[in-house]
Amino acid sequence: MDAIAAAASVAKPTLYRYFATKEALFVEALECALDEVRDDVHVLRVDAAPIEDRLRRVIACVLDRVGRLTPATRAVEGQSSDLGERSRIALRHGFSALKDEIGALLVEGSEAGVFGRFDVEVAALVVLGGVRMAAHSNAGDQDIADAVTNLLLNGLRDQRDGPSPTLDRSSGLGALV
């Protein structure tokens, strides 16, 4: 709390006037961070660039920003306290708003004939879920952002010029790499 008060250029008691506990400050910071990501994604979504370029930039943005939130999201995953529940609510709300932005971009691409027809809700969940998983392991890595975007744009069709998938058994998950 001392470091946060110093960074905000306020006295510690002033900080406690607005946030009764460290936990309340944490939840508010988490909500603000997710709101900022949603706002940044919205700006990218409504840009005049081609839809595929916007999707690529949205994925890179979410990958980077959610990757930076990984320590916070991991901290609340195992919490059974009131903090854990309030944090999980903030995460659900924040990620739902991101899903809606991604869904709107996918609808626009479908209506423009760039993307095919699909269940928008499922597609937006797949995009956000894939990006979230990639973000937790490779925050901000542009190669990962490009790989995720290319997979989403090209699907699992035969891409003869791409690398052959191999099974990574070292993770214990049997992941394809």
Side-chain angles (χ1 to χ4, degrees):
M1 291 301 273
D2 290 328
I4 293 169
S9 301
V10 299
K12 192 172 170 183
T14 302
L15 196 57
Y16 277 109
R17 184 177 329 156
Y18 294 99
F19 303 100
T21 64
K22 291 182 243 184
E23 291 81 10
L25 176 61
F26 177 83
V27 171
E28 180 71 22
L30 187 58
E31 288 172 345
C32 288
L34 289 166
D35 287 346
E36 287 177 7
V37 177
R38 183 208 56 233
D39 292 345
D40 290 347
V41 166
H42 178 78
V43 168
L44 293 170
R45 179 179 71 78
V46 299
D47 187 83
I51 195 83
E52 290 179 352
D53 292 344
R54 287 186 278 154
L55 180 62
R56 190 171 303 280
R57 290 195 309 249
V58 162
I59 288 172
C61 175
V62 173
L63 181 68
D64 176 58
R65 302 288 295 281
V66 169
R68 287 192 248 160
L69 288 173
T70 295
T73 58
R74 285 192 177 142
V76 301
E77 285 173 348
Q79 293 284 330
S80 60
S81 65
D82 182 50
L83 167 64
E85 183 56 29
R86 289 182 300 151
S87 299
R88 284 188 290 278
I89 290 168
L91 287 169
R92 279 193 301 270
H93 176 74
F95 285 121
S96 178
L98 280 173
K99 179 187 64 70
D100 292 345
E101 287 291 335
I102 291 168
L105 183 63
L106 296 176
V107 166
E108 183 182 344
S110 182
E111 289 174 350
V114 175
F115 304 146
R117 296 174 52 92
F118 46 81
D119 181 313
V120 174
E121 186 76 16
V122 170
L125 285 171
V126 167
V127 171
L128 183 58
V131 172
R132 281 183 66 188
M133 291 300 293
H136 287 310
S137 60
N138 296 292
D141 187 330
Q142 187 59 44
D143 290 339
I144 296 297
D146 287 339
V148 169
T149 305
N150 290 338
L151 177 63
L152 292 168
L153 292 173
N154 299 318
L156 298 174
R157 287 180 299 221
D158 187 9
Q159 305 289 322
R160 294 289 175 186
D161 57 343
S164 296
T166 57
L167 194 58
D168 176 10
R169 297 185 191 280
S170 65
S171 69
L173 301 175
L176 287 174
V177 293

Short mmCIF file of all heavy atoms in Angstrom, two decimals, residues 97-166:
data_model
loop_
_atom_site.label_atom_id
_atom_site.label_comp_id
_atom_site.label_asym_id
_atom_site.label_seq_id
_atom_site.Cartn_x
_atom_site.Cartn_y
_atom_site.Cartn_z
N ALA A 97 -16.80 -8.80 -21.70
CA ALA A 97 -16.77 -7.59 -22.53
C ALA A 97 -15.78 -7.76 -23.68
O ALA A 97 -16.05 -7.32 -24.81
CB ALA A 97 -16.41 -6.37 -21.67
N LEU A 98 -14.64 -8.39 -23.42
CA LEU A 98 -13.68 -8.66 -24.50
C LEU A 98 -14.28 -9.62 -25.52
O LEU A 98 -14.11 -9.43 -26.73
CB LEU A 98 -12.40 -9.26 -23.93
CG LEU A 98 -11.41 -8.31 -23.30
CD1 LEU A 98 -10.27 -9.08 -22.64
CD2 LEU A 98 -10.87 -7.34 -24.33
N LYS A 99 -14.97 -10.64 -25.05
CA LYS A 99 -15.62 -11.60 -25.95
C LYS A 99 -16.62 -10.88 -26.85
O LYS A 99 -16.70 -11.16 -28.04
CB LYS A 99 -16.31 -12.70 -25.14
CG LYS A 99 -17.04 -13.73 -25.99
CD LYS A 99 -17.84 -14.69 -25.16
CE LYS A 99 -18.96 -14.07 -24.40
NZ LYS A 99 -20.10 -13.58 -25.14
N ASP A 100 -17.36 -9.94 -26.29
CA ASP A 100 -18.34 -9.20 -27.08
C ASP A 100 -17.66 -8.37 -28.16
O ASP A 100 -18.14 -8.29 -29.30
CB ASP A 100 -19.19 -8.29 -26.18
CG ASP A 100 -20.11 -9.08 -25.26
OD1 ASP A 100 -20.33 -10.29 -25.50
OD2 ASP A 100 -20.61 -8.47 -24.29
N GLU A 101 -16.53 -7.74 -27.84
CA GLU A 101 -15.79 -6.96 -28.84
C GLU A 101 -15.26 -7.87 -29.95
O GLU A 101 -15.37 -7.55 -31.13
CB GLU A 101 -14.63 -6.20 -28.19
CG GLU A 101 -15.04 -5.02 -27.36
CD GLU A 101 -15.60 -3.86 -28.18
OE1 GLU A 101 -15.29 -3.72 -29.38
OE2 GLU A 101 -16.37 -3.07 -27.60
N ILE A 102 -14.71 -9.00 -29.56
CA ILE A 102 -14.20 -9.95 -30.55
C ILE A 102 -15.35 -10.48 -31.40
O ILE A 102 -15.24 -10.59 -32.63
CB ILE A 102 -13.43 -11.10 -29.86
CG1 ILE A 102 -12.13 -10.56 -29.25
CG2 ILE A 102 -13.15 -12.25 -30.82
CD1 ILE A 102 -11.44 -11.51 -28.30
N GLY A 103 -16.47 -10.78 -30.76
CA GLY A 103 -17.65 -11.26 -31.50
C GLY A 103 -18.12 -10.24 -32.52
O GLY A 103 -18.47 -10.60 -33.65
N ALA A 104 -18.13 -8.97 -32.15
CA ALA A 104 -18.55 -7.93 -33.08
C ALA A 104 -17.62 -7.86 -34.29
O ALA A 104 -18.06 -7.67 -35.43
CB ALA A 104 -18.61 -6.57 -32.36
N LEU A 105 -16.33 -8.05 -34.06
CA LEU A 105 -15.36 -8.05 -35.16
C LEU A 105 -15.59 -9.26 -36.07
O LEU A 105 -15.56 -9.14 -37.30
CB LEU A 105 -13.94 -8.06 -34.60
CG LEU A 105 -12.80 -8.01 -35.61
CD1 LEU A 105 -12.84 -6.71 -36.42
CD2 LEU A 105 -11.46 -8.14 -34.90
N LEU A 106 -15.86 -10.41 -35.47
CA LEU A 106 -16.12 -11.61 -36.26
C LEU A 106 -17.40 -11.48 -37.07
O LEU A 106 -17.46 -11.91 -38.23
CB LEU A 106 -16.19 -12.83 -35.35
CG LEU A 106 -14.89 -13.18 -34.60
CD1 LEU A 106 -15.13 -14.35 -33.65
CD2 LEU A 106 -13.75 -13.46 -35.56
N VAL A 107 -18.44 -10.88 -36.49
CA VAL A 107 -19.69 -10.65 -37.22
C VAL A 107 -19.42 -9.73 -38.41
O VAL A 107 -19.88 -10.00 -39.53
CB VAL A 107 -20.77 -10.05 -36.30
CG1 VAL A 107 -21.93 -9.48 -37.10
CG2 VAL A 107 -21.26 -11.09 -35.31
N GLU A 108 -18.69 -8.67 -38.17
CA GLU A 108 -18.37 -7.75 -39.28
C GLU A 108 -17.63 -8.48 -40.39
O GLU A 108 -17.93 -8.30 -41.57
CB GLU A 108 -17.53 -6.58 -38.76
CG GLU A 108 -17.23 -5.57 -39.83
CD GLU A 108 -16.36 -4.42 -39.36
OE1 GLU A 108 -16.21 -4.22 -38.14
OE2 GLU A 108 -15.82 -3.72 -40.24
N GLY A 109 -16.67 -9.32 -40.03
CA GLY A 109 -15.93 -10.07 -41.03
C GLY A 109 -16.80 -11.05 -41.78
O GLY A 109 -16.66 -11.22 -43.00
N SER A 110 -17.73 -11.67 -41.09
CA SER A 110 -18.64 -12.60 -41.74
C SER A 110 -19.59 -11.86 -42.68
O SER A 110 -19.82 -12.30 -43.81
CB SER A 110 -19.43 -13.37 -40.67
OG SER A 110 -20.29 -14.30 -41.28
N GLU A 111 -20.13 -10.74 -42.21
CA GLU A 111 -21.05 -9.97 -43.05
C GLU A 111 -20.36 -9.39 -44.28
O GLU A 111 -20.98 -9.22 -45.32
CB GLU A 111 -21.69 -8.85 -42.23
CG GLU A 111 -22.69 -9.38 -41.21
CD GLU A 111 -23.23 -8.30 -40.28
OE1 GLU A 111 -22.71 -7.16 -40.28
OE2 GLU A 111 -24.19 -8.61 -39.54
N ALA A 112 -19.06 -9.12 -44.16
CA ALA A 112 -18.30 -8.60 -45.30
C ALA A 112 -17.85 -9.71 -46.24
O ALA A 112 -17.28 -9.43 -47.30
CB ALA A 112 -17.08 -7.83 -44.79
N GLY A 113 -18.10 -10.97 -45.87
CA GLY A 113 -17.72 -12.08 -46.72
C GLY A 113 -16.26 -12.50 -46.55
O GLY A 113 -15.77 -13.35 -47.30
N VAL A 114 -15.57 -11.93 -45.58
CA VAL A 114 -14.18 -12.30 -45.34
C VAL A 114 -14.11 -13.62 -44.58
O VAL A 114 -13.25 -14.46 -44.85
CB VAL A 114 -13.44 -11.18 -44.55
CG1 VAL A 114 -12.03 -11.58 -44.19
CG2 VAL A 114 -13.45 -9.88 -45.34
N PHE A 115 -15.02 -13.80 -43.63
CA PHE A 115 -15.11 -15.03 -42.86
C PHE A 115 -16.36 -15.77 -43.29
O PHE A 115 -17.29 -15.18 -43.84
CB PHE A 115 -15.20 -14.74 -41.36
CG PHE A 115 -14.07 -13.90 -40.81
CD1 PHE A 115 -14.32 -13.01 -39.79
CD2 PHE A 115 -12.78 -14.00 -41.29
CE1 PHE A 115 -13.30 -12.22 -39.27
CE2 PHE A 115 -11.76 -13.23 -40.78
CZ PHE A 115 -12.02 -12.34 -39.76
N GLY A 116 -16.39 -17.06 -43.00
CA GLY A 116 -17.57 -17.86 -43.31
C GLY A 116 -18.67 -17.64 -42.30
O GLY A 116 -18.65 -16.69 -41.51
N ARG A 117 -19.62 -18.55 -42.32
CA ARG A 117 -20.74 -18.51 -41.37
C ARG A 117 -20.39 -19.41 -40.20
O ARG A 117 -19.83 -20.49 -40.39
CB ARG A 117 -22.01 -18.96 -42.05
CG ARG A 117 -22.44 -18.03 -43.18
CD ARG A 117 -23.62 -18.57 -43.96
NE ARG A 117 -24.74 -18.94 -43.12
CZ ARG A 117 -25.75 -18.13 -42.79
NH1 ARG A 117 -25.77 -16.90 -43.24
NH2 ARG A 117 -26.75 -18.55 -42.03
N PHE A 118 -20.71 -18.96 -39.00
CA PHE A 118 -20.38 -19.71 -37.80
C PHE A 118 -21.22 -19.20 -36.66
O PHE A 118 -21.84 -18.14 -36.75
CB PHE A 118 -18.89 -19.57 -37.45
CG PHE A 118 -18.41 -18.14 -37.52
CD1 PHE A 118 -18.63 -17.25 -36.48
CD2 PHE A 118 -17.76 -17.67 -38.66
CE1 PHE A 118 -18.21 -15.93 -36.56
CE2 PHE A 118 -17.34 -16.35 -38.74
CZ PHE A 118 -17.56 -15.48 -37.67
N ASP A 119 -21.23 -19.94 -35.57
CA ASP A 119 -21.89 -19.51 -34.35
C ASP A 119 -20.97 -18.47 -33.70
O ASP A 119 -19.88 -18.79 -33.25
CB ASP A 119 -22.08 -20.72 -33.43
CG ASP A 119 -22.79 -20.36 -32.13
OD1 ASP A 119 -22.41 -19.37 -31.47
OD2 ASP A 119 -23.71 -21.11 -31.76
N VAL A 120 -21.41 -17.23 -33.69
CA VAL A 120 -20.58 -16.12 -33.22
C VAL A 120 -20.18 -16.30 -31.76
O VAL A 120 -19.02 -16.06 -31.40
CB VAL A 120 -21.30 -14.77 -33.42
CG1 VAL A 120 -20.51 -13.63 -32.81
CG2 VAL A 120 -21.56 -14.52 -34.88
N GLU A 121 -21.11 -16.73 -30.94
CA GLU A 121 -20.81 -16.91 -29.51
C GLU A 121 -19.69 -17.93 -29.32
O GLU A 121 -18.74 -17.69 -28.59
CB GLU A 121 -22.09 -17.36 -28.78
CG GLU A 121 -21.94 -17.44 -27.29
CD GLU A 121 -21.93 -16.09 -26.59
OE1 GLU A 121 -22.33 -15.08 -27.20
OE2 GLU A 121 -21.50 -16.06 -25.43
N VAL A 122 -19.80 -19.06 -30.00
CA VAL A 122 -18.78 -20.10 -29.88
C VAL A 122 -17.45 -19.61 -30.47
O VAL A 122 -16.39 -19.78 -29.86
CB VAL A 122 -19.24 -21.40 -30.57
CG1 VAL A 122 -18.10 -22.40 -30.66
CG2 VAL A 122 -20.42 -22.00 -29.83
N ALA A 123 -17.51 -18.97 -31.62
CA ALA A 123 -16.28 -18.49 -32.25
C ALA A 123 -15.56 -17.47 -31.38
O ALA A 123 -14.34 -17.52 -31.22
CB ALA A 123 -16.60 -17.89 -33.62
N ALA A 124 -16.31 -16.54 -30.79
CA ALA A 124 -15.70 -15.53 -29.93
C ALA A 124 -15.09 -16.18 -28.69
O ALA A 124 -14.01 -15.80 -28.23
CB ALA A 124 -16.72 -14.47 -29.54
N LEU A 125 -15.77 -17.19 -28.15
CA LEU A 125 -15.21 -17.92 -27.00
C LEU A 125 -13.94 -18.66 -27.38
O LEU A 125 -12.97 -18.68 -26.61
CB LEU A 125 -16.24 -18.92 -26.45
CG LEU A 125 -17.39 -18.33 -25.65
CD1 LEU A 125 -18.43 -19.40 -25.36
CD2 LEU A 125 -16.89 -17.71 -24.35
N VAL A 126 -13.91 -19.26 -28.55
CA VAL A 126 -12.72 -19.98 -29.01
C VAL A 126 -11.56 -19.01 -29.20
O VAL A 126 -10.44 -19.27 -28.76
CB VAL A 126 -13.01 -20.75 -30.32
CG1 VAL A 126 -11.74 -21.24 -30.98
CG2 VAL A 126 -13.95 -21.91 -30.04
N VAL A 127 -11.83 -17.86 -29.82
CA VAL A 127 -10.77 -16.87 -30.03
C VAL A 127 -10.24 -16.40 -28.68
O VAL A 127 -9.03 -16.44 -28.43
CB VAL A 127 -11.27 -15.68 -30.87
CG1 VAL A 127 -10.24 -14.55 -30.90
CG2 VAL A 127 -11.62 -16.13 -32.28
N LEU A 128 -11.12 -15.94 -27.82
CA LEU A 128 -10.68 -15.41 -26.53
C LEU A 128 -10.02 -16.50 -25.69
O LEU A 128 -8.97 -16.26 -25.07
CB LEU A 128 -11.84 -14.79 -25.77
CG LEU A 128 -11.47 -14.13 -24.44
CD1 LEU A 128 -10.42 -13.05 -24.63
CD2 LEU A 128 -12.71 -13.57 -23.77
N GLY A 129 -10.60 -17.69 -25.67
CA GLY A 129 -10.00 -18.78 -24.90
C GLY A 129 -8.62 -19.15 -25.40
O GLY A 129 -7.69 -19.33 -24.61
N GLY A 130 -8.46 -19.23 -26.71
CA GLY A 130 -7.16 -19.54 -27.28
C GLY A 130 -6.13 -18.48 -26.98
O GLY A 130 -4.98 -18.77 -26.63
N VAL A 131 -6.54 -17.23 -27.09
CA VAL A 131 -5.64 -16.13 -26.81
C VAL A 131 -5.27 -16.10 -25.32
O VAL A 131 -4.11 -15.90 -24.96
CB VAL A 131 -6.24 -14.79 -27.27
CG1 VAL A 131 -5.40 -13.61 -26.81
CG2 VAL A 131 -6.38 -14.77 -28.79
N ARG A 132 -6.26 -16.34 -24.46
CA ARG A 132 -5.98 -16.36 -23.01
C ARG A 132 -4.98 -17.46 -22.67
O ARG A 132 -4.05 -17.24 -21.89
CB ARG A 132 -7.25 -16.58 -22.22
CG ARG A 132 -8.09 -15.33 -22.09
CD ARG A 132 -9.31 -15.57 -21.25
NE ARG A 132 -8.95 -15.87 -19.86
CZ ARG A 132 -9.83 -16.26 -18.95
NH1 ARG A 132 -11.10 -16.43 -19.28
NH2 ARG A 132 -9.45 -16.49 -17.72
N MET A 133 -5.16 -18.64 -23.23
CA MET A 133 -4.24 -19.74 -22.95
C MET A 133 -2.84 -19.41 -23.47
O MET A 133 -1.84 -19.66 -22.79
CB MET A 133 -4.74 -21.05 -23.57
CG MET A 133 -6.00 -21.59 -22.91
SD MET A 133 -5.78 -21.95 -21.16
CE MET A 133 -4.63 -23.30 -21.24
N ALA A 134 -2.76 -18.86 -24.66
CA ALA A 134 -1.46 -18.48 -25.21
C ALA A 134 -0.83 -17.37 -24.37
O ALA A 134 0.38 -17.36 -24.13
CB ALA A 134 -1.61 -18.03 -26.66
N ALA A 135 -1.65 -16.44 -23.90
CA ALA A 135 -1.13 -15.33 -23.10
C ALA A 135 -0.54 -15.82 -21.79
O ALA A 135 0.47 -15.27 -21.33
CB ALA A 135 -2.25 -14.33 -22.81
N HIS A 136 -1.13 -16.83 -21.20
CA HIS A 136 -0.62 -17.33 -19.92
C HIS A 136 0.75 -17.98 -20.07
O HIS A 136 1.50 -18.08 -19.11
CB HIS A 136 -1.60 -18.30 -19.28
CG HIS A 136 -2.80 -17.64 -18.71
ND1 HIS A 136 -2.75 -16.55 -17.87
CD2 HIS A 136 -4.12 -17.89 -18.89
CE1 HIS A 136 -3.96 -16.17 -17.53
NE2 HIS A 136 -4.81 -16.96 -18.14
N SER A 137 1.08 -18.40 -21.28
CA SER A 137 2.38 -19.05 -21.46
C SER A 137 3.39 -18.20 -22.22
O SER A 137 4.58 -18.42 -22.09
CB SER A 137 2.20 -20.39 -22.17
OG SER A 137 1.62 -20.18 -23.44
N ASN A 138 2.93 -17.22 -22.99
CA ASN A 138 3.85 -16.44 -23.83
C ASN A 138 3.40 -15.00 -23.95
O ASN A 138 3.15 -14.51 -25.05
CB ASN A 138 3.91 -17.04 -25.24
CG ASN A 138 4.49 -18.43 -25.24
OD1 ASN A 138 5.65 -18.60 -24.96
ND2 ASN A 138 3.66 -19.41 -25.51
N ALA A 139 3.31 -14.29 -22.87
CA ALA A 139 2.79 -12.92 -22.87
C ALA A 139 3.52 -12.04 -23.87
O ALA A 139 4.73 -11.90 -23.83
CB ALA A 139 2.89 -12.32 -21.48
N GLY A 140 2.74 -11.45 -24.78
CA GLY A 140 3.26 -10.44 -25.67
C GLY A 140 4.11 -10.93 -26.82
O GLY A 140 4.66 -10.13 -27.56
N ASP A 141 4.26 -12.21 -27.02
CA ASP A 141 5.11 -12.75 -28.07
C ASP A 141 4.40 -12.59 -29.42
O ASP A 141 3.38 -13.22 -29.67
CB ASP A 141 5.39 -14.22 -27.77
CG ASP A 141 6.40 -14.83 -28.72
OD1 ASP A 141 6.47 -14.41 -29.89
OD2 ASP A 141 7.11 -15.75 -28.28
N GLN A 142 4.97 -11.76 -30.30
CA GLN A 142 4.33 -11.48 -31.59
C GLN A 142 4.23 -12.74 -32.45
O GLN A 142 3.28 -12.91 -33.18
CB GLN A 142 5.08 -10.38 -32.34
CG GLN A 142 4.38 -9.92 -33.61
CD GLN A 142 2.98 -9.38 -33.38
OE1 GLN A 142 2.75 -8.61 -32.47
NE2 GLN A 142 2.03 -9.79 -34.21
N ASP A 143 5.23 -13.64 -32.36
CA ASP A 143 5.15 -14.88 -33.13
C ASP A 143 3.94 -15.70 -32.70
O ASP A 143 3.27 -16.30 -33.53
CB ASP A 143 6.43 -15.70 -32.95
CG ASP A 143 7.63 -15.07 -33.63
OD1 ASP A 143 7.43 -14.25 -34.55
OD2 ASP A 143 8.76 -15.39 -33.24
N ILE A 144 3.67 -15.72 -31.41
CA ILE A 144 2.50 -16.45 -30.91
C ILE A 144 1.23 -15.77 -31.40
O ILE A 144 0.28 -16.43 -31.83
CB ILE A 144 2.52 -16.55 -29.37
CG1 ILE A 144 3.71 -17.36 -28.89
CG2 ILE A 144 1.21 -17.14 -28.85
CD1 ILE A 144 3.73 -18.80 -29.33
N ALA A 145 1.19 -14.44 -31.35
CA ALA A 145 0.01 -13.71 -31.84
C ALA A 145 -0.24 -14.02 -33.30
O ALA A 145 -1.39 -14.26 -33.70
CB ALA A 145 0.19 -12.20 -31.62
N ASP A 146 0.81 -14.04 -34.11
CA ASP A 146 0.66 -14.36 -35.52
C ASP A 146 0.21 -15.80 -35.71
O ASP A 146 -0.65 -16.09 -36.55
CB ASP A 146 1.97 -14.11 -36.28
CG ASP A 146 2.27 -12.63 -36.46
OD1 ASP A 146 1.33 -11.81 -36.38
OD2 ASP A 146 3.45 -12.30 -36.69
N ALA A 147 0.77 -16.73 -34.95
CA ALA A 147 0.40 -18.14 -35.08
C ALA A 147 -1.06 -18.34 -34.69
O ALA A 147 -1.79 -19.06 -35.39
CB ALA A 147 1.32 -19.00 -34.21
N VAL A 148 -1.50 -17.71 -33.61
CA VAL A 148 -2.91 -17.83 -33.20
C VAL A 148 -3.81 -17.25 -34.27
O VAL A 148 -4.82 -17.85 -34.66
CB VAL A 148 -3.15 -17.15 -31.83
CG1 VAL A 148 -4.63 -17.03 -31.52
CG2 VAL A 148 -2.43 -17.92 -30.72
N THR A 149 -3.46 -16.07 -34.78
CA THR A 149 -4.28 -15.43 -35.81
C THR A 149 -4.32 -16.28 -37.07
O THR A 149 -5.39 -16.47 -37.65
CB THR A 149 -3.75 -14.02 -36.14
OG1 THR A 149 -3.66 -13.26 -34.94
CG2 THR A 149 -4.66 -13.32 -37.13
N ASN A 150 -3.18 -16.78 -37.49
CA ASN A 150 -3.15 -17.61 -38.69
C ASN A 150 -3.98 -18.88 -38.53
O ASN A 150 -4.68 -19.28 -39.46
CB ASN A 150 -1.70 -17.96 -39.06
CG ASN A 150 -0.93 -16.76 -39.56
OD1 ASN A 150 -1.51 -15.78 -40.02
ND2 ASN A 150 0.38 -16.82 -39.45
N LEU A 151 -3.92 -19.49 -37.36
CA LEU A 151 -4.73 -20.67 -37.12
C LEU A 151 -6.21 -20.32 -37.20
O LEU A 151 -7.00 -21.04 -37.81
CB LEU A 151 -4.41 -21.29 -35.76
CG LEU A 151 -5.25 -22.50 -35.38
CD1 LEU A 151 -5.01 -23.65 -36.35
CD2 LEU A 151 -4.94 -22.92 -33.96
N LEU A 152 -6.58 -19.19 -36.61
CA LEU A 152 -7.99 -18.79 -36.64
C LEU A 152 -8.44 -18.45 -38.06
O LEU A 152 -9.54 -18.81 -38.46
CB LEU A 152 -8.21 -17.59 -35.72
CG LEU A 152 -8.05 -17.91 -34.24
CD1 LEU A 152 -8.00 -16.63 -33.43
CD2 LEU A 152 -9.16 -18.81 -33.76
N LEU A 153 -7.60 -17.78 -38.81
CA LEU A 153 -7.98 -17.39 -40.17
C LEU A 153 -7.97 -18.58 -41.13
O LEU A 153 -8.81 -18.65 -42.03
CB LEU A 153 -7.04 -16.30 -40.70
CG LEU A 153 -7.17 -14.95 -40.01
CD1 LEU A 153 -6.07 -14.00 -40.50
CD2 LEU A 153 -8.55 -14.34 -40.25
N ASN A 154 -7.05 -19.51 -40.94
CA ASN A 154 -6.90 -20.62 -41.88
C ASN A 154 -7.50 -21.92 -41.38
O ASN A 154 -7.61 -22.87 -42.15
CB ASN A 154 -5.41 -20.84 -42.19
CG ASN A 154 -4.79 -19.63 -42.82
OD1 ASN A 154 -5.39 -19.00 -43.68
ND2 ASN A 154 -3.60 -19.29 -42.38
N GLY A 155 -7.85 -21.96 -40.12
CA GLY A 155 -8.42 -23.17 -39.58
C GLY A 155 -7.41 -24.30 -39.54
O GLY A 155 -6.21 -24.09 -39.51
N LEU A 156 -7.91 -25.49 -39.58
CA LEU A 156 -7.05 -26.66 -39.52
C LEU A 156 -6.91 -27.32 -40.89
O LEU A 156 -6.51 -28.47 -40.99
CB LEU A 156 -7.63 -27.66 -38.51
CG LEU A 156 -7.70 -27.14 -37.08
CD1 LEU A 156 -8.42 -28.16 -36.19
CD2 LEU A 156 -6.33 -26.84 -36.54
N ARG A 157 -7.21 -26.56 -41.94
CA ARG A 157 -7.06 -27.09 -43.29
C ARG A 157 -5.63 -27.50 -43.56
O ARG A 157 -4.70 -27.03 -42.91
CB ARG A 157 -7.47 -26.03 -44.31
CG ARG A 157 -8.95 -25.78 -44.38
CD ARG A 157 -9.20 -24.75 -45.41
NE ARG A 157 -8.49 -23.55 -44.96
CZ ARG A 157 -8.97 -22.33 -45.04
NH1 ARG A 157 -10.10 -22.11 -45.62
NH2 ARG A 157 -8.30 -21.31 -44.60
N ASP A 158 -5.44 -28.32 -44.55
CA ASP A 158 -4.11 -28.77 -44.94
C ASP A 158 -3.31 -27.57 -45.45
O ASP A 158 -3.66 -26.96 -46.45
CB ASP A 158 -4.23 -29.84 -46.04
CG ASP A 158 -2.91 -30.47 -46.39
OD1 ASP A 158 -1.91 -30.20 -45.68
OD2 ASP A 158 -2.86 -31.23 -47.37
N GLN A 159 -2.27 -27.25 -44.75
CA GLN A 159 -1.38 -26.15 -45.13
C GLN A 159 -0.01 -26.79 -45.43
O GLN A 159 0.85 -26.87 -44.57
CB GLN A 159 -1.25 -25.12 -44.00
CG GLN A 159 -2.55 -24.56 -43.50
CD GLN A 159 -3.19 -23.62 -44.51
OE1 GLN A 159 -2.51 -22.85 -45.19
NE2 GLN A 159 -4.50 -23.69 -44.61
N ARG A 160 0.18 -27.26 -46.64
CA ARG A 160 1.38 -28.02 -47.00
C ARG A 160 2.68 -27.28 -46.72
O ARG A 160 3.71 -27.90 -46.48
CB ARG A 160 1.35 -28.41 -48.49
CG ARG A 160 0.25 -29.36 -48.82
CD ARG A 160 0.56 -30.70 -48.25
NE ARG A 160 -0.59 -31.58 -48.48
CZ ARG A 160 -0.69 -32.77 -48.01
NH1 ARG A 160 0.26 -33.28 -47.30
NH2 ARG A 160 -1.76 -33.48 -48.24
N ASP A 161 2.65 -25.95 -46.73
CA ASP A 161 3.88 -25.21 -46.52
C ASP A 161 4.17 -24.95 -45.04
O ASP A 161 5.22 -24.45 -44.69
CB ASP A 161 3.85 -23.88 -47.27
CG ASP A 161 2.67 -23.00 -46.88
OD1 ASP A 161 1.70 -23.51 -46.29
OD2 ASP A 161 2.73 -21.80 -47.19
N GLY A 162 3.27 -25.32 -44.16
CA GLY A 162 3.48 -25.09 -42.73
C GLY A 162 4.18 -26.26 -42.07
O GLY A 162 4.36 -27.32 -42.67
N PRO A 163 4.62 -26.07 -40.83
CA PRO A 163 5.28 -27.16 -40.12
C PRO A 163 4.30 -28.27 -39.78
O PRO A 163 3.12 -28.03 -39.60
CB PRO A 163 5.80 -26.49 -38.85
CG PRO A 163 4.89 -25.33 -38.64
CD PRO A 163 4.48 -24.87 -40.03
N SER A 164 4.80 -29.48 -39.72
CA SER A 164 3.97 -30.60 -39.32
C SER A 164 3.81 -30.57 -37.80
O SER A 164 4.78 -30.32 -37.09
CB SER A 164 4.61 -31.92 -39.72
OG SER A 164 4.69 -32.00 -41.12
N PRO A 165 2.61 -30.84 -37.32
CA PRO A 165 2.44 -30.85 -35.87
C PRO A 165 3.13 -32.05 -35.26
O PRO A 165 3.21 -33.11 -35.87
CB PRO A 165 0.93 -30.94 -35.69
CG PRO A 165 0.41 -31.49 -36.96
CD PRO A 165 1.37 -31.10 -38.04
N THR A 166 3.67 -31.87 -34.07
CA THR A 166 4.27 -32.97 -33.33
C THR A 166 3.66 -32.97 -31.95
O THR A 166 3.23 -31.93 -31.44
CB THR A 166 5.80 -32.83 -33.24
OG1 THR A 166 6.10 -31.57 -32.62
CG2 THR A 166 6.45 -32.89 -34.60
#
